[in-house]
Amino acid sequence: MNNSSPLGNRDLIRAINRSIILNTIKTYGPIDRAQVARVTGLSPATVTGITSELIETGLIFEKAPGDSRGGRPPILLAINPKGGYVIGIKLMEDHALGALTDLEATVIAKDQVLLPDQSATSVIRMLARLVEKLISKAGIGKKKLIGVGIGLAGIVDFERGLLRQSPFFGWRDLPISELLQPHVKVPIYLDNDVNTLSMAEQWFGAAQGIEDFLTLTVGRGIGLGIVANGRFYRGTGGGAGEFGHTLVDPDGPICDCGKRGCLETYVAYPGLLREAQLFNPNIKTIDELLDLNEKMDPDIKSVLGKAGDLLGRSVANLINLLNPKLIIVGGEGVRLGKNFFNPMQSAIQKYSVPEMFSDCQIRIEPWGDDAWARGAASLVLRQLFENPVHQSEFNFFQGS
Ligand SMILES: [Zn+2]
C-alpha cells in the first residue's frame, strides 16, 4: 500500500502544498494566512483555498484574533489536536501495547492484549482487537481514526510495510500492514520500534529542532535509531542501526542473531542475568536483579559497572563516527540506574574525541510504559504532517 502514488500531477502538487501548509501551521502556529504565505512562498489564493479545506476536515481551526496595531486583527490558524486520532502499537514477544493519541501525540487511551501464541494469524487477530478496544475506550467515532502505526523489534521494510526479519517471532518477510489492513480500514505504517521512538523524540520530544541525534535503547536487546541531517537513516534494506550486533569478541557468547560476542550479549538483559548468575545462581529474572541492585548488592554493582563501561566504549565509537548533538537513552533498561549509567558516561567521555564529546549531550529518559506506543503513534503523525504522497491515503482527505 505504501509505495504506489495514485496521484496525478495536479493532485500531487496540491497534496505537496497541503503538506507544506500543514507542517508550517504545526511548526509556527498559531499563525495567520498572510504569514503562512510568506513562510511557504505560496500565493495567498493557494493558502486561502487549502486552509479552508483543512478547516473543513477539522485538522486546523481558526483561533481568537491575534495582536493588531490598528485595523482588523488577523485570524490565527492552529492545528486542532482533536481533529483526528491515531493509534500506536508496540508489538512484543507475548503481548502488544497500544495507545490512542490526538494529533499532538497526547495519549487519550491505553490498553494491551496478550498473544495466545506466536502464529501470524493470531497475532494479526489480536492487533485488530486491540485497535477496536482502543477506539471504544477513547469513545471516538471510527471515522476519526486516521491511521495505525506499529513498532516492533527487527528489520522492517518501511516502504512496503513488511517485517523482513523478527528476532522474537522467527517470522521472515511477513506483510503485516497488508494482513491487518482489511480489519482496520485505515493506513497502517510499520517500522522498527527504536525508529518509532526516535520519531516521537524528533516530533514531540527532546530532539525537536535537532538535526543529528541518536536514540539508544537498552533492555531485552540494544537498539539504535539514527537521525542525520534531520532525516532518518535506514540503510539500503531498512536494517541500519543494528548497533546491538556490533562485535565485541568473536569468541564471546552466542547471540540471538546466530553470531558470537555481539555487544548485546554483554549489555542487554539476558547477558546481565548470565553474568549475575556467576555470582548468585539464585537470580532468575531481571526484576530480581534490579531488586538486588536497589539494595546496593556489591556483586550486581560490579556486573552492571562492567556492562555499562562496555556500552560506553561502543557509544564512544558511535560519537566518533557520527558526531551527534544529542543521544537519548531510553527503553526498559533505564531502570538499571546509576550503577550502569555512570560507568557508561565515564567510558563515553574517556574514549570519544574530546571535541565531539563536548558537542554531544547525553540524556537518559525516565521510562514510561506508553513511550513505545506513543512512538508508534508518531509514525502516523509524521506521515500526516510531512509526506504529501502518503497523505492521499488518509481517509479524511478523501471526504469520508
Ligand atoms: Zn548478534
Side-chain angles (χ1 to χ4, degrees):
M1 48 153 270
N2 280 337
N3 61 349
S4 65
S5 167
L7 301 179
N9 270 350
R10 268 188 57 191
D11 289 343
L12 182 61
I13 288 165
R14 195 167 173 83
I16 290 169
N17 289 343
R18 191 160 50 208
S19 161
I20 291 169
I21 289 175
L22 198 54
N23 205 340
T24 303
I25 296 172
K26 179 189 174 286
T27 310
Y28 302 101
I31 181 173
D32 70 43
R33 287 177 177 79
Q35 285 170 307
V36 173
R38 264 199 304 280
V39 171
T40 59
L42 296 169
S43 76
T46 304
V47 171
T48 302
I50 289 176
T51 53
S52 358
E53 189 185 310
L54 290 172
I55 289 171
E56 216 169 286
T57 59
L59 260 188
I60 63 170
F61 70 111
E62 292 182 326
K63 266 198 134 162
D67 251 348
S68 80
R69 297 180 181 85
R72 210 172 54 155
I75 294 165
L76 298 179
L77 301 170
I79 295 290
N80 173 14
K82 310 292 178 213
Y85 298 88
V86 305
I87 284 176
I89 294 174
K90 156 87 167 167
L91 179 57
M92 280 170 278
E93 261 171 307
D94 55 359
H95 70 293
L97 274 177
L100 185 143
T101 83
D102 66 15
L103 296 184
E104 285 171 341
T106 304
V107 175
I108 310 289
K110 286 195 283 186
D111 214 328
Q112 58 173 312
V113 288
L114 296 174
L115 307 176
D117 58 73
Q118 295 199 326
S119 74
T121 326
S122 90
V123 171
I124 296 292
R125 195 180 61 235
M126 293 316 289
L127 291 178
R129 186 168 301 165
L130 181 56
V131 169
E132 291 287 332
K133 281 173 80 175
L134 286 164
I135 291 173
S136 91
K137 208 167 183 176
I140 61 158
K142 264 191 183 171
K143 285 202 164 169
K144 283 281 204 175
L145 182 70
I146 62 178
V148 174
I150 300 171
L152 76 178
I155 299 178
V156 176
D157 183 332
F158 170 76
E159 287 299 324
R160 290 158 67 201
L162 183 72
L163 176 63
R164 294 183 57 205
Q165 189 263 328
S166 151
F168 300 144
F169 295 99
W171 299 333
R172 296 223 168 238
D173 295 326
L174 187 72
I176 294 193
S177 299
E178 197 183 305
L179 294 171
L180 185 59
Q181 220 280 329
H183 303 280
V184 303
K185 298 183 176 67
V186 289
I188 295 163
Y189 300 94
L190 194 68
D191 207 338
N192 172 275
D193 51 4
V194 182
N195 285 355
T196 66
L197 210 57
S198 309
M199 223 166 265
E201 294 293 350
Q202 188 179 29
W203 280 81
F204 305 101
Q208 283 181 85
I210 295 181
E211 296 270 293
D212 300 282
F213 73 94
L214 306 173
T215 310
L216 174 69
T217 61
V218 182
R220 170 78 175 72
I222 298 295
L224 182 73
I226 304 167
V227 172
N229 296 327
R231 300 191 63 84
F232 260 81
Y233 183 74
R234 295 178 191 281
T236 296
E242 290 296 334
F243 178 52
H245 301 286
T246 49
L247 182 66
V248 173
D249 177 5
D251 299 320
I254 292 259
C255 180
D256 278 349
C257 72
K259 315 256 182 214
R260 275 184 183 276
C262 297
L263 177 64
E264 71 176 41
T265 64
Y266 298 97
V267 302
Y269 283 173
L272 296 177
L273 266 180
R274 186 193 62 234
E275 293 299 312
Q277 282 161 353
L278 297 178
F279 293 101
N280 180 350
N282 295 326
I283 305 174
K284 297 284 181 251
T285 66
I286 200 72
D287 285 327
E288 287 166 18
L289 187 153
L290 289 167
D291 262 359
L292 286 169
N293 184 36
E294 221 152 84
K295 292 176 187 143
M296 292 316 252
D297 180 292
D299 294 332
I300 298 300
K301 186 175 178 203
S302 125
V303 166
L304 293 185
K306 230 174 105 187
D309 176 73
L310 187 55
L311 180 60
R313 293 178 192 208
S314 294
V315 173
N317 286 338
L318 277 182
I319 291 177
N320 294 348
L321 189 68
L322 296 166
N323 190 201
K325 183 170 183 177
L326 172 68
I327 299 179
I328 297 168
V329 184
E332 289 87 343
V334 297
R335 297 184 300 162
L336 295 168
K338 62 179 193 316
N339 286 344
F340 181 82
F341 288 107
N342 286 353
M344 179 193 86
Q345 305 238 37
S346 310
I348 291 174
Q349 177 158 21
K350 189 166 170 194
Y351 296 108
S352 55
V353 174
E355 288 74 15
M356 290 200 249
F357 175 76
S358 63
D359 281 346
C360 181
Q361 187 204 339
I362 294 160
R363 187 184 156 111
I364 298 163
E365 295 272 292
W367 180 243
D369 240 4
D370 54 350
W372 287 113
R374 200 164 168 257
S378 304
L379 188 57
V380 187
L381 294 171
R382 179 165 171 267
Q383 296 303 320
L384 176 67
F385 289 118
E386 196 179 57
N387 191 321
V389 176
H390 291 171
Q391 270 192 23
S392 66
E393 295 167 352
F394 291 117
N395 277 337
F396 55 27
F397 290 121
Q398 296 164 352
S400 66

